[in-house]
Amino acid sequence: VAFTDVSHDPQRVARWYFGGVSSSIATLVSHPLDLMKVLAQTEKGKLSAMAVARKIIKEQGFFALYSGLSASLLRQYTYTLSRFGMYTLGSEYFDTSTMSRKSLLAAVAGGIGGYIGAPADMVNVRMQNDVKLPPAERRNYKHAFDGLFTVVREEGWPSLFNGASMTALRGLFMTVGQIAFYEQSKGILVNMGMAENTSTYILASIISAISATFLTLPIDVIKTRLMNAKPGEYKGLFDVIVKTSTEGPLAFFKGFVPAFSRTMPHTVMLFVILEFLRTHFGYLPAPKKVGHSV
């Protein structure tokens, strides 16, 4: 079917892989903001993310802000593809008529997706953090797959899942914040009389971005530090929490502004692109049998 012949139909349902495709496109825009967030969370001094970013641009050029892009894209095609895919497929068999049911399905999909995407997520954090390190201390992964192979060769394959439990926990809350809050917010806005159009999608996605940032930031800070740790730097998850807390309670919300600044446009772009794909390239579903509420 030619692109210009594709009809718009809000009743269409997204195909399972639309989430991964939408997120990867959004990542091309949001990656520099994601990099700034990682720099802020791993920065133990008082230098802000913006100050670090300005320093990097001055010394290494603008495209240094795209360090780790290959790992970021790989992360979208593992972590995001799987969690959106599982939610989309699961919603065909599971009643998602209430917020609690949406949240339950999103939590399961996000938790599993977090484990699937953990290796790419770890390489993504390391490649981004390389930018602010002195040349002698950089890991210098050429691309995402080089990073994965290097970790397996030098640290053993279990190291690919360093911090995977935190990635899964973050994925759980992120998916609840993004998908469940988005779907529920969109439904409420439409029921209030708003048309199901781009403006409604944007407003619902902003609500979901606020929810997702609030739910995930403390987890994200701990996960980032654990994944970026050198061998022996931390004894375990509890040790990361203790050492982070010595910097003050606000250390768990370090990078809040760049985190939200990245999450909001990324989430808006993700859902606007996803809705476009759904309404133009999705399929018309058969009537779903809704089970009885427990």
Side-chain angles (χ1 to χ4, degrees):
V1 179
F3 178 80
T4 53
D5 295 333
V6 176
S7 62
H8 174 275
D9 189 342
Q11 300 303 313
R12 291 180 186 273
V13 174
R15 300 182 187 278
W16 66 270
Y17 52 85
F18 281 1
V21 173
S22 303
S23 190
S24 65
I25 296 172
T27 293
L28 296 176
V29 178
S30 65
H31 185 79
L33 296 171
D34 195 28
L35 175 66
M36 289 167 60
K37 179 196 70 174
V38 171
L39 295 181
Q41 291 169 350
T42 55
E43 178 65 44
K44 293 184 173 64
K46 298 296 183 182
L47 209 57
S48 69
M50 284 300 296
V52 174
R54 283 194 295 269
K55 182 173 181 287
I56 289 169
I57 292 173
K58 183 179 179 181
E59 294 177 356
Q60 303 176 44
F62 174 78
F63 286 103
L65 293 178
Y66 277 89
S67 294
L69 179 62
S70 63
S72 189
L73 290 173
L74 179 62
R75 179 174 176 269
Q76 302 311 319
Y77 281 110
T78 51
Y79 165 64
T80 304
L81 181 71
S82 58
R83 65 194 180 99
F84 270 78
M86 283 184 280
Y87 184 91
T88 301
L89 294 173
S91 63
E92 295 182 9
Y93 304 97
F94 186 74
D95 176 14
T96 55
S97 58
T98 66
M99 181 60 183
S100 60
R101 286 176 171 270
K102 288 183 180 74
S103 298
L104 178 59
L105 180 58
V108 172
I112 297 173
Y115 270 108
I116 293 173
D121 200 29
M122 183 187 71
V123 172
N124 183 41
V125 169
R126 289 186 174 188
M127 289 181 73
Q128 289 176 337
N129 193 56
D130 252 11
V131 179
K132 72 172 187 179
L133 295 175
E137 295 180 23
R138 294 176 188 170
R139 292 184 171 92
N140 291 319
Y141 300 149
K142 296 175 184 176
H143 47 73
F145 292 105
D146 179 52
L148 294 174
F149 293 139
T150 301
V151 170
V152 171
R153 184 173 64 250
E154 297 180 358
E155 304 173 40
W157 72 264
S159 293
L160 288 174
F161 292 90
N162 280 351
S165 59
M166 291 300 297
T167 307
L169 186 61
R170 180 185 182 277
L172 185 156
F173 283 106
M174 175 61 79
T175 309
V176 170
Q178 278 189 325
I179 300 180
F181 273 83
Y182 175 79
E183 292 290 338
Q184 189 73 9
S185 299
K186 184 177 75 170
I188 291 173
L189 292 172
V190 170
N191 289 337
M192 287 171 58
M194 292 184 68
E196 187 169 333
N197 56 23
T198 303
S199 297
T200 303
Y201 301 152
I202 290 174
L203 183 54
S205 62
I206 290 173
I207 295 171
S208 75
I210 294 170
S211 306
T213 304
F214 178 78
L215 289 171
T216 60
L217 191 59
I219 299 168
D220 201 28
V221 170
I222 297 168
K223 176 188 71 71
T224 299
R225 292 192 174 195
L226 188 63
M227 282 187 165
N228 198 55
K230 295 179 180 177
E233 185 174 352
Y234 297 115
K235 296 176 183 177
L237 177 60
F238 185 71
D239 191 36
V240 180
I241 296 172
V242 170
K243 288 182 178 177
T244 302
S245 66
T246 61
E247 300 172 33
L250 291 180
F252 291 101
F253 290 91
K254 204 167 187 179
F256 180 85
V257 173
F260 178 71
S261 298
R262 183 264 178 189
T263 301
M264 195 268 287
H266 181 88
T267 301
V268 170
M269 286 186 290
L270 188 161
F271 281 114
V272 168
I273 296 168
L274 179 60
E275 293 288 11
F276 176 84
L277 293 175
R278 177 182 71 82
T279 56
H280 289 78
F281 300 98
Y283 61 92
L284 293 170
K288 181 168 67 173
K289 295 181 180 179
V290 178
H292 296 291
S293 298
V294 179

